[in-house]
Amino acid sequence: LFYCDGGLYAGSRGAFAANLSSPLFLQGHAALASVIHDLKMHGLGAARNVLFSGCSAGAQAVAMTCDAMARALPSATVKCLMDAGFFLDTPDIHGRLTWRESVQRLFKFHRMGAGIHPACQRAHLKQPWKCLLPQYNLPFVRTPVFVVNSLQDEIAVKMTFSSPLIDGTVRIQKCMDRSPLCPLQYRTALQLYQARLLRSVLAIQRAKRRQGVWFESFLMNSSAHCTAVYGDWVGRVDVLGRQLPRVLEDWFFHGRPQAATAEQWVQDRKRG
């Protein structure tokens, strides 16, 4: 299910001109509800097991709408898979909260109030934009969620770490590739980012128990993005002797949490 409004299926903005020949409608929240209703009429309503997944921005949307999907399918076992969507609210290399500012603008432009998790919104009445970010909204999600994320995801690092100015992107890439040319300042900052990401996700994991967390510490040159939904390496990588499809199967059908720290995950080991 693809979308083109860039609003995480949460927008509720009516028609506006935007200097185009025809008006734009940023109605992602209503669009998602309409799509789910249509799919239910074409067989989804009879489904017994549903895995609601998305990658990157789509994974953010999954975190925001996971409970809504479960409510829409009360007769099914619904669980959600977030692939490469754990973008952190954290300072960039210069100490600026540039990613936070981008999220705030997105929330305001799309008028997202109707599309965010109600419990999260109540908890963050003065800062409802926080509910667009998994670290803030996942604690309120009651439906089981499985997170697949690289500790140094290329897109997340550039967006939430290097800052939109991209003045340090080249050096950051060297750090993600574990190059000895990576300056100490950037290497230290990347390690701090990884620690914050791991701490944030595992704190949610420990608190909720029903969530499964599967983290890679080194895959696809240390910068894997959207690996579970679109990646072709899933069946070729062993992690602690197990492959992601089997881990997901155990989590979905047997409810076994699969959390691990970066130190526990083995290096990318391709077969054949």
Side-chain angles (χ1 to χ4, degrees):
L1 173 61
F2 292 91
Y3 72 107
C4 61
D5 73 343
L8 307 175
Y9 289 119
S12 58
R13 184 170 183 173
F16 66 104
N19 297 321
L20 300 175
S21 58
S22 59
L24 289 178
F25 295 83
L26 301 179
Q27 295 278 338
H29 178 59
L32 179 62
S34 179
V35 169
I36 293 175
H37 175 76
D38 186 67
L39 290 174
K40 289 174 66 175
M41 300 297 291
H42 289 82
L44 182 62
R48 297 174 57 189
N49 297 300
V50 175
L51 181 62
F52 186 41
S53 66
C55 90
S56 196
Q60 285 185 268
V62 164
M64 294 168 58
T65 58
C66 183
D67 281 350
M69 175 63 80
R71 289 194 298 269
L73 300 170
S75 299
T77 296
V78 177
K79 297 187 179 184
C80 298
L81 168 63
M82 285 183 60
D83 183 6
F86 212 99
F87 298 103
L88 277 182
D89 176 27
T90 188
D92 62 24
I93 189 69
H94 308 291
R96 297 189 295 259
L97 293 169
T98 48
W99 176 238
R100 174 185 292 190
E101 294 168 0
S102 297
V103 171
Q104 290 172 334
R105 289 193 297 269
L106 182 70
F107 181 89
K108 183 177 181 180
F109 183 71
H110 284 261
R111 300 177 184 173
M112 291 180 166
I116 61 178
H117 197 289
C120 182
Q121 188 172 24
R122 288 193 296 271
H124 299 288
L125 286 175
K126 295 184 179 180
Q127 297 176 304
W129 58 267
K130 283 188 172 182
C131 298
L132 273 62
L133 298 173
Q135 72 194 88
Y136 299 124
N137 65 35
L138 276 181
F140 300 97
V141 177
R142 300 180 62 85
T143 307
V145 178
F146 193 106
V147 175
V148 178
N149 218 96
S150 171
L151 285 172
Q152 46 196 31
D153 180 282
E154 178 181 16
I155 304 301
V157 167
K158 289 180 179 179
M159 291 181 67
T160 65
F161 180 74
S162 297
S163 91
L165 299 177
I166 313 297
D167 56 338
T169 298
V170 175
R171 281 173 284 182
I172 288 298
Q173 187 62 53
K174 290 179 180 178
C175 296
M176 290 193 295
D177 293 339
R178 301 189 179 185
S179 168
L181 298 178
C182 174
L184 178 60
Q185 175 194 10
Y186 286 82
R187 185 164 62 249
T188 302
L190 180 57
Q191 291 171 349
L192 179 60
Y193 170 83
Q194 293 170 330
R196 287 171 175 166
L197 176 59
L198 187 62
R199 185 167 58 247
S200 179
V201 175
L202 293 185
I204 296 171
Q205 161 68 21
R206 288 191 294 267
K208 296 175 72 68
R209 294 290 184 183
R210 292 197 304 170
Q211 284 183 310
V213 180
W214 197 91
F215 258 24
E216 319 104 24
S217 61
F218 179 72
L219 287 172
M220 303 296 287
N221 294 323
S222 305
S223 58
H225 186 70
C226 289
T227 50
V229 177
Y230 297 114
D232 62 356
W233 56 265
V234 172
R236 298 184 285 118
V237 178
D238 279 342
V239 180
L240 300 180
R242 308 184 71 209
Q243 295 178 351
L244 177 58
R246 180 55 60 86
V247 174
L248 275 171
E249 178 184 353
D250 283 348
W251 168 77
F252 190 95
F253 292 104
H254 307 297
R256 299 170 186 164
Q258 301 291 337
T261 66
E263 292 76 16
Q264 289 176 300
W265 294 122
V266 296
Q267 301 281 334
D268 184 357
R269 188 166 75 243
K270 297 181 180 180
R271 295 179 175 177

